[in-house]
Amino acid sequence: MHTTALVLFSGGQDSTTCLAQALSKYQRVETIAFDYRQRHSVELQARLKVLSEIRAQFPQWASRLDEDHLLDLAVLGQVSETSLTRDTAFKMEASGLPSTFVPGRNLLFLTLAAALAYRRDLQVIVTGVCETDFSGYPDCRDDTMKAMQLALSLGMDRHFLIDTPLMWIDKAATWQMAHDLGERSGVDRGGDALVNLIIEHTHTCYLGDRVHRHAWGWGCGSCPACELRARGYARWLETRGGIAPA
Ligand code: ZN
């Protein structure tokens, strides 16, 4: 039985939903993020706000939410030339992958997360990677996750489970998952509360825009991350007959 988890928590919609799921499932949950000089480094402030709002609004989860860790990964910015680490346009590369793909990023994140989980005695590593509505990132694939789980478990001689709650669902279903988790959190009208927390405080936009506010949250509205978030939110609202959370 797994009771402890480390969540890769960037402060976006997906990782916040994963954190909520971990808090509803495991007894002790820690969080980790990486500063790799991302253009949208505003997410590093957003995530602290999300953590404090979760503690304030969801008391049953607050008691399970343990330490937060921020690791410096400037070396990733030194080795990669991508739209997330340099001021270059979002486009498709000759490889067929978007220019936002940072080679090795998730592999490094998982390796460092496992090293930290080893020290902190955490059994499960939770990550919001997804194969369904994704941008074609090969390091978000289920096969990659299974291979990493095996490599990390063998290489550290400790059985790690990599938990990927969003792997087979789309963005509309991710909003619904957040709502369902909030409903079961023990907080009155917790579903709407968690969705509203995600809308207001999480950060997804690749450009780091916290100026423009939309029904689905803050962002430029036109980068690939904003488009995916906006489309998912619109589809989710349709399933609710157009009724926005109160
Ligand atoms: Zn954007």
Side-chain angles (χ1 to χ4, degrees):
M1 187 66 185
H2 297 106
T3 56
T4 56
L6 178 63
V7 180
L8 274 77
F9 178 61
S10 68
Q13 176 193 351
D14 291 347
S15 67
T16 300
T17 306
C18 287
L19 175 59
Q21 206 227 25
L23 290 167
S24 68
K25 195 169 164 185
Y26 304 113
Q27 300 301 313
R28 181 168 67 90
V29 175
E30 300 196 8
T31 46
I32 183 172
F34 303 92
D35 181 352
Y36 58 98
R37 310 300 186 262
Q38 52 270 56
R39 273 166 87 182
H40 52 308
S41 60
V42 65
E43 73 180 11
L44 298 176
Q45 284 112 55
R47 63 189 295 284
L48 296 178
K49 182 69 179 165
V50 172
L51 288 175
S52 70
E53 288 293 325
I54 285 179
R55 284 184 207 280
Q57 295 187 45
F58 297 90
Q60 290 184 22
W61 290 349
S63 62
R64 296 173 165 200
L65 185 53
D66 201 344
E67 276 188 37
D68 177 49
H69 310 268
L70 179 66
L71 267 58
D72 188 333
L73 207 52
V75 66
L76 192 55
Q78 287 168 23
V79 296
S80 62
E81 182 88 40
T82 75
S83 302
L84 292 195
T85 50
R86 297 270 198 284
D87 189 12
T88 55
F90 300 115
K91 59 178 171 48
M92 291 305 284
E93 301 288 359
S95 61
L97 287 168
S99 60
T100 50
F101 174 59
V102 183
R105 180 176 61 162
N106 278 348
L107 308 181
L108 276 172
F109 286 2
L110 286 165
T111 303
L112 292 167
L116 186 81
Y118 186 98
R119 172 164 69 82
R120 299 287 302 164
D121 212 14
L122 300 162
Q123 302 152 318
V124 182
I125 298 164
V126 184
T127 168
V129 291
C130 170
E131 259 200 40
T132 311
D133 241 353
F134 75 149
S135 321
Y137 295 165
D139 57 352
C140 291
R141 286 184 196 140
D142 191 50
D143 282 350
T144 307
M145 293 301 117
K146 290 197 165 75
M148 285 303 286
Q149 177 174 291
L150 184 61
L152 295 169
S153 296
L154 287 173
M156 297 191 200
D157 198 22
R158 170 97 43 111
H159 181 73
F160 292 112
L161 177 71
I162 298 184
D163 184 8
T164 57
L166 309 184
M167 182 59 79
W168 307 113
I169 68 173
D170 66 15
K171 286 277 182 204
T174 303
W175 286 105
Q176 185 60 44
M177 181 190 279
H179 196 273
D180 292 344
L181 288 164
E183 285 297 285
R184 296 197 302 268
S185 67
V187 168
D188 189 35
R189 305 176 71 82
D192 283 3
L194 185 60
V195 169
N196 284 327
L197 187 161
I198 289 171
I199 289 172
E200 189 59 33
H201 299 296
T202 67
H203 185 84
T204 298
C205 175
Y206 284 149
L207 296 179
D209 184 325
R210 298 294 293 177
V211 178
H212 299 96
R213 174 64 153 82
H214 314 264
W216 45 266
W218 298 90
C220 72
S222 53
C223 75
C226 281
E227 281 182 357
L228 197 58
R229 177 162 164 157
R231 260 204 319 275
Y233 185 76
R235 279 204 313 272
W236 177 64
L237 271 195
E238 273 172 38
T239 67
R240 291 167 46 94
I243 303 166

